[in-house]
Amino acid sequence: MGWGRLWGGRSYDLGKMTLPELWVAYLTYPAIQLYFALMAGCALLAAIFYQGAGGILLSVMAAILIYPFVWYGIHRFILHGRWLYRMRWTARLWKRVHFDHHQDPHRLEVLFGDPLNTIPTMAVITVPVGAWLGGIAGGASALGGAMMMTCVYEFFHCIQHLNYKPKSRILQYMKRVHLLHHFHDESGNYGIINFLPDILAGTYYRDTRARPRSPHVFNLGYDMQEAHRYPWVMQATGAPPRDRPPPPSAMAKRV
């Protein structure tokens, strides 16, 4: 049973939702509630094995600092990699975790990450760091910090696709740069809300004049030629991949 079904089987279009409606959808989504519960469990473990505030604070700070770079690496080299759809046993996973989101960036149910992948990944990366800094309490705190960052990323990712213009200039900037990733060239601006890794890695660009429009912005390279060679994603979708980016005016309406 998928998380979308647990959510009542509804399909949410961020292009038609208001901010209050987003808040309701976000707070009632089972994965977000699971992350909140996990944060509470991590806080309880940190309290039980408490040995001082220093280790806990350092562990949380380490998780917050590591998170943008981990997300960048996953987004660029795994989610935008072409090897997952070329294997039958990982094609459906790739379809769910990222292809569907680029095919229709405003479907809320495919925007949220899958906790069955998110939680183990964050645990493997952050718990050892936290345990080294603060023992069991530090490991729990680091994981709790990573889950907190996941919730923050998920919410602001929703804002970036919502039919809503943020009042904050910083949020306007983040939204504009992220939408370039979806509607102009997918091979840059991987950072969602923190683009420092993009800047350091040379994948950041700030406007459409910086690079030409990509023909794979909607399909991540899984075009009809690839779909015929590796049909498992197309079979699961039940339709051929969208091969063309939207017209230039489509992005302008969303920025």
Side-chain angles (χ1 to χ4, degrees), residues 6-7 37 71-72 92 111 135 187 189 194 222 230 233 236 247 251:
L6 290 174
W7 203 21
W71 168 250
Y72 176 89
R92 284 181 177 269
L111 180 151
S187 64
N189 297 348
N194 187 331
Y222 187 74
Y230 310 102
V233 170
M251 186 180 69

Side-chain angles (χ1 to χ4, degrees), residues 11-87:
S11 179
Y12 294 82
D13 185 346
L14 285 164
K16 300 177 182 178
M17 292 173 65
T18 64
L19 184 59
E21 289 172 338
L22 171 61
W23 271 113
V24 173
Y26 175 82
L27 293 173
T28 57
Y29 189 63
I32 298 299
Q33 295 176 341
L34 176 61
Y35 297 150
F36 286 155
L38 187 56
M39 281 190 280
C42 288
L44 179 60
L45 274 177
I48 292 173
F49 293 97
Y50 179 80
Q51 293 182 332
I56 290 176
L57 291 175
L58 285 174
S59 300
V60 173
M61 290 176 60
I64 292 173
L65 290 173
I66 290 170
Y67 194 94
F69 294 92
V70 171
W71 168 250
Y72 176 89
I74 292 172
H75 192 185
R76 180 180 178 183
F77 298 110
I78 299 178
L79 303 185
H80 279 257
R82 298 191 177 189
W83 50 279
L84 285 176
Y85 71 71
R86 293 177 177 177
M87 296 183 288

Side-chain angles (χ1 to χ4, degrees), residues 182-248:
H182 275 281
F183 295 98
H184 186 70
D185 182 4
E186 79 288 355
S187 64
N189 297 348
Y190 295 101
I192 307 294
I193 66 173
N194 187 331
F195 299 102
L196 177 61
D198 281 286
I199 293 171
L200 295 175
T203 54
Y204 172 80
Y205 68 104
R206 62 180 302 123
D207 55 46
T208 58
R209 295 170 296 181
R211 52 176 68 184
R213 185 182 295 274
S214 168
H216 300 302
V217 71
F218 268 13
N219 58 40
L220 308 184
Y222 187 74
D223 53 20
M224 285 305 301
Q225 182 177 355
E226 288 288 90
H228 286 304
R229 294 181 64 190
Y230 310 102
W232 305 294
V233 170
M234 184 167 62
Q235 290 171 357
T237 303
R242 299 174 66 180
D243 291 329
R244 297 180 181 179

Side-chain angles (χ1 to χ4, degrees), residues 90-193:
T90 56
R92 284 181 177 269
L93 170 65
W94 181 76
K95 172 188 176 297
R96 164 61 185 90
V97 298
H98 213 55
F99 178 72
D100 285 348
H101 178 48
H102 271 263
Q103 289 278 279
D104 188 349
H106 303 300
R107 281 177 57 203
L108 186 55
E109 65 270 23
V110 296
L111 180 151
F112 288 118
D114 187 342
L116 296 179
N117 300 307
T118 300
I119 294 173
T121 301
M122 291 299 107
V124 167
I125 293 168
T126 61
V127 170
V129 175
W132 177 63
L133 292 170
I136 296 177
S141 299
L143 180 58
M147 292 299 98
M148 177 187 69
M149 290 298 292
T150 298
C151 291
V152 170
Y153 266 60
E154 295 282 39
F155 181 75
F156 285 105
H157 193 187
C158 291
I159 290 289
Q160 290 166 340
H161 292 283
L162 185 68
N163 183 22
Y164 164 76
K165 184 174 182 178
K167 296 179 181 179
S168 165
R169 289 188 178 183
I170 295 176
L171 292 182
Q172 290 176 18
Y173 160 77
M174 290 193 303
K175 181 170 185 173
R176 175 174 57 81
V177 173
H178 179 65
L179 291 185
L180 288 169
H181 173 79
H182 275 281
F183 295 98
H184 186 70
D185 182 4
E186 79 288 355
S187 64
N189 297 348
Y190 295 101
I192 307 294
I193 66 173

